[in-house]
Amino acid sequence: MATDFENVQKSLNLLLKEPQLPLQKICDLLFNAIPHYNWVGFYFMEDDAQMLQLGPYAGAATDHTRIPFGRGICGQVAVSGVAFVVPDVWAEDNYLACSLETKAEIVLPIFKEGKLIAQLDIDSHYANPFTDKDRAFLENLCTDLGPRL
Ligand code: SME
């Protein structure tokens, strides 16, 4: 899938210059600009409750507004702190389905001062759509966002 990451990055850079980090606009931009990003959202870590809490998102409403650490792909990233690329969600035992259309998912940790505080979660309706370029682009975004959250 040929994504014009450079162009999207330019739009992102403008959003990142806003004094208040516009997380909703960032979700909307990724969702609208990249055809294989079919749900884009942020989850925030609640360490005391051992839960993830859904924040801004773009795409269909989800039942999974709160996810226990360890449950599903996001819950596993809450425990591991390591990005998780899932080319085929239906091949995963520990997966929480949001939509029957979803075929793949990527979840990236977001760190602030070395602490895992949030995640960027993207679902795709396409099989195995996430390339190394997606991963590098999204990791870079998470690195930019972390210190400002
Ligand atoms: N599929 C995720 C749940 C969140 S939705 O994708 C929005 C998971 O398994 O953690």
Side-chain angles (χ1 to χ4, degrees):
M1 230 158 288
T3 305
D4 188 353
F5 286 110
E6 269 184 36
N7 223 5
V8 185
Q9 187 66 57
K10 280 185 198 154
S11 305
L12 263 180
N13 290 345
L14 289 178
L15 294 179
L16 291 168
K17 281 196 188 126
E18 292 190 15
Q20 286 274 359
L21 200 53
L23 290 181
Q24 183 64 57
K25 286 187 194 167
I26 291 171
C27 291
D28 293 341
L29 170 66
L30 296 179
F31 177 81
N32 290 316
I34 303 183
H36 59 292
Y37 293 6
N38 306 119
W39 190 94
V40 178
F42 291 97
Y43 282 96
F44 291 88
M45 304 278 291
E46 289 184 2
D47 289 337
D48 290 348
Q50 296 277 291
M51 296 285 261
L52 288 162
Q53 171 67 45
L54 181 62
Y57 68 93
T62 173
D63 288 341
H64 303 296
T65 55
R66 287 180 69 75
I67 300 175
F69 287 5
R71 288 284 312 281
I73 308 302
C74 296
Q76 291 178 76
V77 172
V79 174
S80 71
V82 175
F84 198 161
V85 185
V86 183
D88 172 8
V89 292
W90 304 106
E92 294 291 321
D93 291 336
N94 190 358
Y95 166 67
L96 298 170
C98 275
S99 148
L100 290 176
E101 286 179 288
T102 298
K103 292 196 171 79
E105 179 162 5
I106 184 169
V107 180
L108 301 110
I110 301 176
F111 294 92
K112 184 188 178 92
E113 290 161 10
K115 187 177 183 316
L116 177 57
I117 56 160
Q119 305 180 350
L120 174 58
D121 178 17
I122 298 178
D123 289 352
S124 181
H125 296 172
Y126 298 81
N128 195 13
F130 300 115
T131 64
D132 288 347
K133 283 191 179 164
D134 286 278
R135 187 172 175 151
F137 166 72
L138 295 169
E139 279 177 347
N140 188 46
L141 172 60
C142 290
T143 302
D144 285 342
L145 292 177
R148 296 198 44 204
L149 288 176

